[in-house]
Amino acid sequence: MDNYFIENLETGKLELHFEKSTYTALSDEQKSAIKGAFLWGRHSGCWISRRKRPNLYYPREIAKSIGLEDAGKTGEKMSFAEQMQQKAERADRRADRYEGYADNAAARGETLQKPIRDMHGDIAFFTQPNINTNAGRSFTNRRNKMFAAFDKGFEEFRKSAYWKDRAAAARTTAGQAELKDRAFVSRRIAERERDIRALKRGIESNEKMLQEMNAGKTFSNYAGEPYTAEKIQEWLNDQLDLMEDKLDELGFYQGCLEDLGGTQFSKANIKPGYTVKVQRFGTAVVVSAGPKNITAKLSTGSVLKFAYAEILQIVSDAVKETPQHPFNIGDTFNCHRWNPENSSYENATYTIIKSSASTVTMQHGSEKPFIRKPHQLPWANANEWAIKVTDGFDGIWRKRSA
């Protein structure tokens, strides 16, 4: 085959291989589509997709639209750890290259500004008026060129600063400092676990669809075009490949977390009321502890969620007495609520018919009762509580405890 596309498993990208005559024969629109989704690889001699798997649907459609044959896959898939190592090595080489650019630009700047710097202290050189003679015009032209070179030197110094910034960013990437951050690694683990759960649901759905299709049932898309068993199997194969990738990434980040000492804290040893120290925010009081995250109140009054991996230490395990909300049985609240029948707000009175340490049960007239959970207002007085009763403009009930 002279005109084909192939998926490179090592890079995770799609490659277009075709003769120059094939490219010349394409329309301007097709050429524009290729340039928008692919980059020309000088060393590989082919067009390489900007996107990586699993986001190759659009590049693949472009390849099919210009008549290229599918040559399947080539190369050996790299593990996620190998990909990360390769990324760090590329960033390190990039940093070396950028630092070289910066040094060269600084050297050019020094060279361009040296003639003027050498004249420092020669007042006559800078104050000499323009004299309309051969020697005077020659001197003026020489001085103007030196000033122009001096100005170009500033541009070279600006380039040097730019490349130094790029080199610093590349060094940061090469250093992989984020892999030494428990909070970052913990979030990546949670993301991969979420991706895996979604993929499992998709795989089960496609397997069920395939079984039903084999039993004679038909499925079609939004345009009414029927799906084929081959298409469903193609989706299933892609999902299984992606599942393998996500499991590999999950194992990598779990290994990083183990290298950092693992997660020292969990719901088993963090209780509401504890004072803990969290990354970036300092001390905070735990309001609630869930299976994977805690809700904590900072010294500023803000209430935020944190992963257990973000807890650095327990400052105090002295549990403070849980404050009690001030809402009691028989309390009433008047507000407005939206009436969809006449498209207007109407007055409504809600009464508390039950009250517990954490919730209250409310009712309007003979309507069905509903439960609300009072909460303290962290940005206001600590004794002020609130309940969201309705979505109306005055539907929040605030009350201070005694």
Side-chain angles (χ1 to χ4, degrees):
M1 288 186 295
D2 293 328
N3 302 312
Y4 63 94
F5 67 91
I6 193 167
E7 181 181 343
N8 190 327
L9 294 179
E10 185 174 346
T11 62
K13 297 189 175 185
L14 206 68
E15 298 178 357
L16 307 184
H17 296 262
F18 48 78
E19 300 293 335
K20 185 176 181 180
S21 58
T22 303
Y23 179 79
T24 305
L26 297 176
S27 65
D28 291 341
E29 184 179 354
Q30 289 174 320
K31 292 178 181 178
S32 178
I34 291 175
K35 292 177 181 178
F38 296 83
L39 293 171
W40 175 253
R42 290 183 299 172
H43 299 292
S44 57
C46 64
W47 290 91
I48 303 173
S49 65
R50 297 174 186 266
R51 299 181 182 181
K52 300 176 64 174
R53 61 187 306 271
N55 303 311
L56 293 178
Y57 175 79
Y58 181 62
R60 198 181 299 274
E61 289 300 306
I62 292 177
K64 292 178 181 178
S65 69
I66 60 178
L68 302 185
E69 295 184 54
D70 188 351
K73 301 177 181 180
T74 186
E76 185 177 350
K77 187 188 297 184
M78 298 175 64
S79 68
F80 188 67
E82 291 173 332
Q83 293 177 37
M84 295 295 286
Q85 180 63 29
Q86 186 184 71
K87 178 182 177 182
E89 291 173 354
R90 283 202 306 265
D92 200 38
R93 292 194 296 269
R94 192 164 61 247
D96 291 339
R97 189 166 65 251
Y98 292 163
E99 286 173 351
Y101 295 162
D103 292 341
N104 292 338
R108 288 194 299 270
E110 290 288 349
T111 301
L112 288 167
Q113 292 192 347
K114 186 177 185 302
I116 289 294
R117 294 186 187 279
D118 289 345
M119 301 305 296
H120 184 72
D122 188 346
I123 304 300
F125 175 81
F126 295 99
T127 60
Q128 174 68 41
N130 296 329
I131 301 174
N132 192 20
T133 63
N134 287 336
R137 286 192 297 270
S138 176
F139 171 79
T140 300
N141 291 336
R142 173 172 164 267
R143 184 173 60 182
N144 289 341
K145 289 179 181 179
M146 292 170 64
F147 279 133
F150 189 80
D151 292 337
K152 288 181 181 179
F154 284 118
E155 180 61 29
E156 292 298 329
F157 285 126
R158 283 192 288 270
K159 289 180 182 179
S160 177
Y162 167 78
W163 289 117
K164 284 180 180 178
D165 289 342
R166 293 287 300 272
R171 290 290 181 206
T172 301
T173 301
Q176 297 182 324
E178 68 275 7
L179 298 182
K180 301 176 180 63
D181 184 343
R182 275 198 181 92
F184 174 87
V185 174
S186 177
R187 287 193 294 271
R188 299 295 82 77
I189 290 174
E191 288 175 0
R192 298 308 177 271
E193 289 175 341
R194 184 171 61 248
D195 293 340
I196 290 169
R197 288 194 298 269
L199 282 168
K200 284 182 178 178
R201 291 193 296 269
I203 290 171
E204 291 170 357
S205 175
N206 283 330
E207 286 178 339
K208 181 180 179 182
M209 188 184 299
L210 200 58
Q211 291 174 357
E212 293 177 350
M213 289 182 72
N214 292 334
K217 188 174 180 179
T218 59
F219 296 89
S220 56
N221 61 16
Y222 65 93
E225 300 170 348
Y227 290 132
T228 62
E230 291 76 14
K231 189 64 176 178
I232 303 301
Q233 187 62 53
E234 182 183 339
W235 292 347
L236 192 56
N237 291 339
D238 288 342
Q239 288 174 320
L240 290 170
D241 286 344
L242 187 55
M243 172 71 82
E244 184 180 345
D245 292 343
K246 295 300 179 182
L247 287 171
D248 183 24
E249 294 175 21
L250 176 62
F252 172 80
Y253 286 119
Q254 287 176 335
C256 291
L257 189 60
E258 288 299 322
D259 292 341
L260 295 173
T263 302
Q264 301 174 342
F265 304 101
S266 66
K267 188 176 181 180
N269 53 13
I270 297 294
K271 304 297 181 184
Y274 281 19
T275 301
V276 297
K277 184 178 182 181
V278 295
Q279 286 185 228
R280 300 186 301 278
F281 292 94
T283 57
V285 178
V286 178
V287 176
S288 63
K292 295 184 177 181
N293 300 303
I294 64 167
T295 301
K297 184 175 182 179
L298 305 178
S299 58
T300 59
S302 301
V303 178
L304 301 175
K305 280 190 176 182
F306 300 95
Y308 284 106
E310 294 182 80
I311 301 176
L312 301 178
Q313 67 181 80
I314 298 175
V315 177
S316 173
D317 58 359
V319 179
K320 299 179 181 179
E321 184 180 351
T322 304
Q324 296 296 318
H325 66 77
F327 300 98
N328 302 308
I329 297 175
D331 289 350
T332 60
F333 175 63
N334 297 316
C335 64
H336 293 81
R337 68 175 183 178
W338 182 255
N339 187 339
E341 294 182 0
N342 54 21
S343 298
S344 64
Y345 283 100
E346 63 180 13
N347 291 323
T349 300
Y350 295 87
T351 304
I352 296 178
I353 59 175
K354 291 182 182 179
S355 178
S356 68
S358 59
T359 63
V360 295
T361 303
M362 307 182 69
Q363 187 177 26
H364 172 63
S366 59
E367 294 179 355
K368 183 179 179 180
F370 58 90
I371 297 175
R372 290 288 187 268
K373 186 175 181 179
H375 62 276
Q376 282 183 290
L377 299 178
W379 58 85
N381 189 297
N383 294 326
E384 189 171 4
W385 293 71
I387 300 175
K388 185 177 181 181
V389 183
T390 71
D391 291 327
F393 59 90
D394 59 350
I396 296 179
W397 184 359
R398 289 184 174 88
K399 187 177 180 181
R400 292 182 180 275
S401 57

